[in-house]
Each structure stands twice: as C-alpha cells, then as structure tokens.
Amino acid sequence: MVLELLQSLSEMQLVGELTVLSLLIGGIIMAGGIIIAKIAKLLFHKYYAPSLPKDTAQNISKLIYFGILIISFLGFTSSQGIDLSGIMVAGGIFAVVIGFATQSVVSNLISGLFLIVEKPAKHGDTIDLPDMGISGTLLDIGTFSSKVRRFDGTVTRIPNDKFFTSNIRSLTLSTVRRADAVVGISYNSDIENAILVMKNEILQTMPFVLQIPEPEFRIEALGDSSVNIHVFVWYPKDDWSQAQPILLGTLKRALDNAAIEIPFPQRVIWSGKD
Amino acid sequence: MKTMSDTSEIIFSNYGIYDLGDNLELSLPNTLIKFQRISDNAFSYFRENSEGQIIEKIIPVKSNDVKIELAPIRPLNHPAKRTNYVFLKLDKEIHLGENSAASIFVHCPIEIGIFLIYGDNHEPLDWITCSPFNSRFSLYGSPDTGTLCKYAEVSLATDYNDSVSYVNGVMHIVIENTLSFAQTISKVIFPITDNNLYYKDSKSIVDGIKIIMKKRAAVNIAEIKPTLVDTEWTPAPAWDNSITSVHHMEMTLE
C-alpha cells in the first residue's frame, strides 16, 4: 500500500525531473535540518553556553544553527538533482543586481560581521552611543541589527551599519570608573578641614570607593556664594550604583556633621545713599 | 567538639567545629550568630553583623547529625566579591641591599566563614568580617588595564601567634633581591587564591609568599609565588572551591 503510494508519487512529475516524491524527501530533509538545528542550539544553550563568555556562546550558537541549516539546504538541493554550479553563475549576475537593491541590508550584514570580529563591545557590556543618545546594556549583535536595553528597561534596535560607524563608549571595559560631584562651602569655612571631613566620610561610609587612587578634591571655582569643590572618587566598574548616586548625599552629611555651611545663593545690594 | 553550653562562658567563640544541637549561639566581635531548630528537619539561621545588617535563613537538613564550622577565609568577599587579588601596603618600608634577602611576618586581613558540615562535605553558609572599615578596594596599575585588589594597610608581626583574633592572620613573606642594587618594598600585590588558611582557637595563619626581585631581559621584576606553611594548626575549608588558580603575579619594579 505504502510502496504503491510512493511509486505513484515518484511518477507524478512537476517540472522537468522534479517529482512529488523528491520534493517530499527534500521537504523532510529541510524540516529535519531545522528541527536538528533548533535542538542542537537548545542543547548548546543548556549544557555549554553557561560556561562560556556571553558573546562567544552567542556566536557559536549561531554558527551551529546556521551551519546545520546550510548542510540541510545542500542536502535538499542534491536530493532534487539541482546543479548548484548553474545557480552560482546566475547568482553572480543576480548578486550585482541584488547588491544595488539591498545595499542597506548587505551593509548591515557586513557591519554585523565586523562587529563580531572587532568586538568594540561584548554582550552584557554597558555602553553609551553619544551620537544617538543611547545608553544601556548591549543585549545582542544580530545578523542585521543590534539590541541595547536602556536603563529604563526598554530595548532599542540599532541597524548594524549605524552601530558600527558610531562612537561607542564602553562603560565596563576599564577595571575601574570615576564618579564626581561638586559641592559648595561658605567663604568663612576652612577649606582644608572641609576636605578632611569629606574624605573621612567617603572612606568610612562608601566601601566601594577605592583607597588607591584616593578621593581627589579640586577647588573648582570661587563662586558668587560659595567656594566650589569638585570631588572625584574611583570605584569598581560594576558598582556605579554604590558610588555616583550616593556621593553627593555623603558629602552633604559630612559637611552637616562638621557644621560647615553650604551657603544659599545670596547677593548683597548697596543703595546709592549708603 | 564544643556545644553552646561550652561557649556560654567565654566572650567570643573560637574557630572550630560545633554541634548544632537544638540551639547554638556564637559570638564574634560586633557580630552575633544564632542557630535554632525549628523542626526535625530544619534550622533557622540568624546573623547580625558589625554594620547592623541582619541575615536570616532557613536551613533544611537531611539528618540530625549536622555540625557547623567557624573558620578564617580569604579576605575577598566584603563588601562584594570583585577580585582575587590583595594589595598589602606595608606600614614600614623594607629596604633590601643588593643580593640580599629578608624574612618577615605581616598581618594579613581575613574574613570568617560559616560552613555546614554534612559528613566530609563543607557547604559555605555565610561569611562575615569583623573589621569592615578596613575592607576596601584599590587599583594597581592604570584604570583601563590595572588590577583591582582588596586593600589593606598591614603591620609587621613577630611570629605566627601574633595575629589579631578574628581580624587578621599572620603571613610569612620571604623577599630575595638578586639585583645588583638596593630595593625598597612598600607594597605587595598578589592573587591570594593559592594561599590556604589555618586556625587555632581564635588565631589564624595564611600561607606565605616568596618574592624574588630579578632582572629579566631589560626589565626588573618582582616574581611572587605562594609558599605552603608547615603547621599543625587546623586547615580552614575553602570558601569558594570554584576559584581557579590565578596566574602568578609579577610586579614591575618602580
């Protein structure tokens, strides 16, 4: 019964030597290839990817997936008796036409490859793209586009050619980073004492601030109402939340505890009669 | 083997293995630790540290024969695990003449680990530091390529018994200057992951290091390697067995 069905399918010619049976076999090969590719990708992500760096795991995963798909496609074409050399020649001609028509797509594809090879940033890195006003965590460098999760939780898709040609500021490539804040003290205050109390408070209450290089204090300006001191502290690259957002509060607490005035803006007006 | 009744009369609990029993209370400087049986198969764990932080956990156990071990561990966890390196800033510089050597003991900071013991297995449960204000980071090198380290200003010790209980352990450092000119040593940076710790009562020892200052090609370097301590003190379990050995340190001489 089954043999008879297959026999009849092999006799049903569609185009040239292409029969329903060979098309069916080709479909099974492609479907099997897709299923195997997905399973291989899944198994890789489950058992091997966690022990590899994120970007390496992503690249190997893509290599496995698309490698199996290409092998399946070659199996499909050979099962149909398609001569690929003919396609190659035709492809050469069409490539020029398609290249002009899909210039941006090809540009994105090539840029994606260069991004993977050059690695200006890795998956999971915190980056800033000042040209585009985008800051966040790099989630993925895909075939045509990259994804960045901004600090507000939204995900932005950036075409690879724009990503590749823009300035990329990596916030996690260096071992340490620097936070800063400006604080003003009154002209009556002892500057040396103010710096000492701020430094002590930082070193005691901010455990992620580095001892070396130690916190730095620069007299930035003799302002209208205050002597402005610019404070710089260094911290491990992943601990921004333990430094920048709490630095100003720490400085104010130190000055308050030492009864050092942080003056309000004020102006002395002399009238003509005085 | 000590139980809570044994430790109730002393101020601070020594390092060692304790039977959990139904209740166990351990006291360390500015730190209180309590275990309490809440059912046949579970304990509650309470810890208040020197910074006022409280941690509470429920610990399901497989058998009644559960013990805990209090032991010194490498000083890498407070305020967060970020590096395997330590930066020891010597309070007094060591001056070494040409082709000479020195052998010194220094106070190396430690943290304290609390381990659950099931048979031969030690499971890390919690860690504390009794000196949080001296547990800070520093950078050795430039911001982009330098090495992040745990930082400590250390003083010289007289021998292995000279450690400050619960705060530091004594480390033996041998320094050899094979160069043809004198050198002054003010700091030592090395990965502490190959240095084991040992304890006795409330004192601790850290495996030593050997520093060889030598010339390699046109560069003067200090090669740093760990050295094992030959002691009868109890070896402390490792807090993180997953730490792989870090490449031995080489400092460029300034």
Side-chain angles (χ1 to χ4, degrees):
Chain A
M1 179 72 181
V2 177
L3 286 174
E4 286 173 7
L5 179 65
L6 292 174
Q7 182 70 35
S8 63
L9 289 175
S10 67
E11 289 168 358
M12 292 170 67
Q13 288 189 333
L14 295 171
V15 181
E17 293 180 0
L18 186 65
T19 64
V20 174
L21 181 63
S22 65
L23 199 63
L24 187 65
I25 291 168
I28 290 169
I29 290 171
M30 272 311 291
I34 291 168
I35 292 167
I36 290 168
K38 283 186 186 277
I39 290 172
K41 189 177 169 184
L42 192 73
L43 291 174
F44 175 78
H45 273 285
K46 194 172 180 182
Y47 294 109
Y48 296 103
S51 62
L52 295 171
K54 272 185 183 176
D55 56 329
T56 309
Q58 288 274 8
N59 292 339
I60 293 176
S61 167
K62 283 173 188 168
L63 197 67
I64 291 171
Y65 184 75
F66 288 110
I68 294 173
L69 284 190
I70 289 168
I71 291 168
S72 306
F73 180 72
L74 292 174
F76 168 77
T77 53
S78 64
S79 72
Q80 305 308 306
I82 299 170
D83 184 8
L84 283 178
S85 60
I87 292 178
M88 294 286 185
V89 175
I93 299 163
F94 279 114
V96 178
V97 179
I98 291 170
F100 281 109
T102 60
Q103 199 173 19
S104 64
V105 175
V106 175
S107 172
N108 282 323
L109 181 68
I110 301 295
S111 298
L113 289 174
F114 282 135
L115 283 170
I116 290 169
V117 173
E118 192 202 342
K119 287 186 182 173
K122 300 193 301 289
H123 298 84
D125 278 2
T126 306
I127 56 168
D128 179 29
L129 304 171
D131 302 344
M132 291 183 244
I134 295 171
S135 297
T137 305
L138 180 61
L139 294 180
D140 184 31
I141 297 175
T143 312
F144 299 107
S145 64
S146 301
K147 293 192 183 80
V148 173
R149 185 179 58 227
R150 295 196 189 200
F151 296 123
D152 64 2
T154 57
V155 176
T156 301
R157 174 189 169 278
I158 306 165
N160 278 342
D161 63 339
K162 286 188 178 171
F163 187 45
F164 183 64
T165 53
S166 69
N167 294 328
I168 302 172
R169 179 183 173 218
S170 173
L171 305 180
T172 46
L173 199 61
S174 297
T175 311
V176 295
R177 288 177 59 194
R178 195 177 68 178
D180 66 319
V182 178
V183 65
I185 60 170
S186 71
Y187 276 90
N188 295 330
S189 301
D190 179 351
I191 295 174
E192 298 301 320
N193 183 46
I195 289 174
L196 185 67
V197 296
M198 286 192 287
K199 186 176 178 180
N200 286 343
E201 186 74 13
I202 288 170
L203 293 178
Q204 281 193 4
T205 62
M206 296 179 69
F208 287 87
V209 167
L210 269 58
Q211 299 266 336
I212 298 174
E214 63 179 5
E216 189 182 348
F217 299 83
R218 297 179 195 164
I219 312 300
E220 191 175 70
L222 300 175
D224 291 344
S225 312
S226 62
V227 177
N228 295 337
I229 302 173
H230 205 155
V231 184
F232 300 90
V233 298
W234 292 87
Y235 58 92
K237 64 180 180 184
D238 296 325
D239 296 303
W240 176 87
S241 64
Q242 297 292 329
Q244 185 69 66
I246 59 176
L247 178 59
L248 206 51
T250 303
L251 298 176
K252 183 178 184 305
R253 187 172 62 243
L255 296 174
D256 287 349
N257 291 342
I260 295 171
E261 185 189 359
I262 302 174
F264 295 104
Q266 50 191 281
R267 189 178 297 272
V268 178
I269 301 172
W270 296 86
S271 67
K273 288 179 182 176
D274 298 326
Chain B
M1 205 74 66
K2 292 151 247 179
T3 63
M4 188 183 166
S5 59
D6 296 325
T7 58
S8 60
E9 290 179 11
I10 60 171
I11 299 174
F12 297 126
S13 311
N14 281 332
Y15 298 128
I17 297 173
Y18 294 81
D19 278 327
L20 270 184
D22 286 336
N23 292 290
L24 176 65
E25 192 170 312
L26 300 171
S27 178
L28 296 167
N30 300 315
T31 305
L32 181 64
I33 297 164
K34 286 181 187 172
F35 289 90
Q36 190 167 22
R37 184 180 286 279
I38 53 174
S39 75
D40 288 343
N41 299 315
F43 281 87
S44 68
Y45 169 77
F46 170 93
R47 184 263 282 167
E48 183 171 9
N49 70 6
S50 52
E51 294 168 300
Q53 294 169 332
I54 291 174
I55 284 184
E56 291 180 281
K57 295 179 182 179
I58 301 295
I59 310 167
V61 292
K62 296 168 192 166
S63 70
N64 288 330
D65 185 28
V66 181
K67 298 182 179 70
I68 67 130
E69 183 167 4
L70 199 65
I73 58 172
R74 297 174 191 122
L76 298 175
N77 300 295
H78 181 273
K81 178 80 171 63
R82 292 286 180 268
T83 177
N84 291 324
Y85 290 80
V86 292
F87 185 131
L88 301 182
K89 171 91 173 127
L90 303 177
D91 67 341
K92 292 185 180 68
E93 294 181 343
I94 311 289
H95 182 83
L96 269 183
E98 59 179 289
N99 294 314
S100 61
S103 171
I104 58 169
F105 292 94
V106 298
H107 294 115
C108 178
I110 57 155
E111 289 168 4
I112 299 170
I114 301 157
F115 299 84
L116 284 171
I117 304 177
Y118 298 104
D120 293 333
N121 293 334
H122 285 72
E123 281 184 11
L125 175 67
D126 194 12
W127 57 263
I128 53 172
T129 175
C130 292
S131 184
F133 297 119
N134 292 319
S135 181
R136 295 290 185 263
F137 293 108
S138 73
L139 177 69
Y140 175 64
S142 62
D144 55 335
T145 60
T147 304
L148 185 70
C149 310
K150 280 301 293 292
Y151 177 82
E153 287 187 22
V154 299
S155 55
L156 296 183
T158 53
D159 56 29
Y160 283 132
N161 291 306
D162 190 29
S163 71
V164 178
S165 300
Y166 313 108
V167 173
N168 60 42
V170 172
M171 170 186 264
H172 184 211
I173 301 179
V174 175
I175 312 165
E176 265 183 47
N177 179 16
T178 64
L179 299 170
S180 57
F181 49 89
Q183 281 289 327
T184 300
I185 295 104
S186 60
K187 62 188 178 227
V188 182
I189 295 101
F190 64 101
I192 202 170
T193 43
D194 287 336
N195 295 66
N196 299 311
L197 285 89
Y198 311 85
Y199 66 80
K200 182 180 169 188
D201 299 329
S202 62
K203 304 279 188 180
S204 57
I205 295 174
V206 183
D207 267 343
I209 53 172
K210 184 171 186 178
I211 305 169
I212 303 173
M213 289 180 283
K214 60 185 181 184
K215 194 174 183 72
R216 191 165 65 193
V219 185
N220 297 321
I221 60 160
E223 185 183 76
I224 303 174
K225 288 182 177 174
T227 54
L228 291 177
V229 174
D230 184 16
T231 178
E232 292 179 352
W233 291 23
T234 309
W239 176 259
D240 189 351
N241 286 320
S242 65
I243 290 180
T244 52
S245 183
V246 177
H247 190 270
H248 290 152
M249 187 76 185
E250 280 183 359
M251 292 168 61
T252 306
L253 296 178
E254 293 165 0

